[in-house]
Amino acid sequence: MDDYREHLRRLAVHDEALLERIAVEGRSATSVIDERTEALMRLAATVAVDASLSSFQHAVALALAAGATRDEIVASLEAVTPVTGAARVVQCAPKVALALGYDVESALERIDD
């Protein structure tokens, strides 16, 4: 059986062993995507669910540790816009900015002055 089919089947039936391994290891043992790509995908999912600031900080830290650049992190935020909608991205942009060490809200206040 093709590996992707087996994984889809196991995910579809809520295979506890597979899901536990993914949860514990943080990624599938047979992952065919590199850590950087996986970290950027997790960041995109964090946007999709409008996670807490601490979740964004964790996702951004993982992406940076996996070799993603700040530009790639922002590009990931922009890439999910057609799916999540502009309102969600606008809502999450300050969280991503803070996770990158940039207080965009403070910067915007200075522009207004």
Side-chain angles (χ1 to χ4, degrees):
M1 181 180 285
D2 293 323
D3 200 40
Y4 81 92
R5 289 181 180 172
E6 178 184 351
H7 278 257
L8 285 173
R9 180 185 51 76
R10 291 177 69 187
L11 290 169
V13 299
H14 198 100
D15 183 306
E16 289 290 336
L18 176 62
L19 294 169
E20 180 69 19
R21 187 174 74 224
I22 292 169
V24 170
E25 295 176 11
R27 58 186 278 136
S28 173
T30 59
S31 184
V32 295
I33 58 174
D34 60 79
E35 287 183 51
R36 187 183 129 281
T37 302
E38 186 169 332
L40 291 171
M41 291 173 71
R42 286 178 184 220
L43 175 61
T46 304
V47 173
V49 299
D50 187 22
S52 67
L53 176 58
S54 62
S55 294
F56 275 96
Q57 291 169 330
H58 181 71
V60 167
L62 287 176
L64 291 170
T69 66
R70 285 171 164 70
D71 288 332
E72 289 171 324
I73 289 168
V74 174
S76 296
L77 179 66
E78 294 171 350
V80 299
T81 303
V83 177
T84 63
R88 175 61 50 91
V89 171
V90 168
Q91 187 175 12
C92 293
K95 296 177 190 178
V96 172
L98 283 173
L100 289 171
Y102 175 56
D103 187 347
V104 70
E105 291 177 357
S106 176
L108 289 171
E109 288 174 6
R110 281 184 260 137
I111 291 173
D112 290 339
D113 291 338

